Amino acid sequence: MLKSFARASLLAAALSLPLSFSAHAEEKTDFKVCWSIYVGWMPWGYLQDSGIMKKWADKYDISVEIVQINDYVESINQYTAGEYDGCSMTNMDALSIPAGGGVDTTALIVGDYSNGNDGIILKDKTDLAEIKGQTVNLVELSVSHYLLARALDSVGLSERDLTVVNTSDADMIAAYATPEVTSVVTWNPLLSEIEAQPNATKVFDSSGIPGEIIDVMMVNTETLADNPNFGKALVGAWYELMGIMSTDSDEGVAARTAMAEASGTDLAGYDAQLATTKMFYTPTDAVEFTKSAELPSTMKFVAEFLFDKGILGEGAPSPEFVGVAFADGSVYGDQNNVKLRFDPSFMAMAAEGAL
């Protein structure tokens, strides 16, 4: 259940941030990154506990502390405020909170994307188009809301065709059990629990928009530029663990078991969540995804959604308000206000064995 508190981008959190923050990047030796509970981010806790992070930090003569923060939005806020040098978050939340707030942020490690972990369930209905006219319970302005918008596009509907009801993820299962709730959008493990109800049908999930809900270790761009060893140590440690946890060796099973327990489930439960998560276990796959032609289109969808909901930076006049830079040098949005960068160069070093 702990994962259910992740990945909810809240309007209040976004709007409470100032427009910009002072950059204090400089050469330094001590770094901190933060993370919160979610299937694709559990490796960060294991990196700290297992000593793998320390091994790589020692290699580059630096220290890296990996800190778990129980509240996801709070973790992003603390990163945005400069308390941390990096933080795990979705592409959507990175664009709306730090980038929209003026903090130049780089996608250092593109770890995974949701490939079925988020979905829409109808009660006593079996077709997505039947959602028309219904009230839909979801965490407003979260990735669930984004998923709904994309799903409606696929059947020629829009949010005007239904009524969205903001519902806490903590209340979602109980809400579904009430007669007045007829459709919900949520994520695992809640999704699986509700789908198991006899009158529930999952009519759309994130595998229908592959590669759009992306989970990333974001870092401060200026900090990374002034301290490339920070990026090398993080990336080196990450892919060492990816190589371990992707196998069924004793070491791999032990690692996944530890991550499962830390997230409040067991190995079978954690493996089930991994099955609907497209993990990039190799840096080569992550680099290929980051360079893909689809990523700019995805970020355009995300920017338009955030602008439509009023959470793309305070006073943003258009979806192009914040510039997003891609691996080929192209930019979506304002080239004079680039605040989010997809830079696969450190992952490429890992792929080349150059770390």
Side-chain angles (χ1 to χ4, degrees), residues 110 284-296 326-328 330 342-345 347-348 352:
V110 178
T284 301
D285 286 347
V287 169
E288 181 180 356
F289 177 80
T290 306
K291 289 183 173 180
S292 69
E294 290 77 20
L295 185 57
F326 301 99
D328 63 358
S330 64
F342 286 88
D343 177 5
S345 60
M347 296 187 294
E352 296 163 1

Side-chain angles (χ1 to χ4, degrees), residues 1-8 34-46 49 67-73 75 87-90 112 117 169 187-189 215 258-265 270 273:
M1 293 295 291
L2 289 174
K3 184 265 178 182
S4 66
F5 293 97
R7 304 194 308 161
C34 56
W35 67 285
S36 54
I37 296 287
Y38 173 63
V39 54
W41 297 331
M42 299 311 298
W44 289 110
Y46 191 78
D49 297 341
V67 179
Q68 179 186 342
I69 296 178
N70 290 330
D71 185 293
Y72 170 61
V73 174
S75 73
C87 188
S88 57
M89 66 189 81
T90 68
D112 69 87
N117 259 333
D169 48 355
W187 52 76
N188 272 324
D215 300 304
M259 293 180 216
E261 291 173 352
S263 61
T265 185
Y270 187 62
Q273 292 182 35

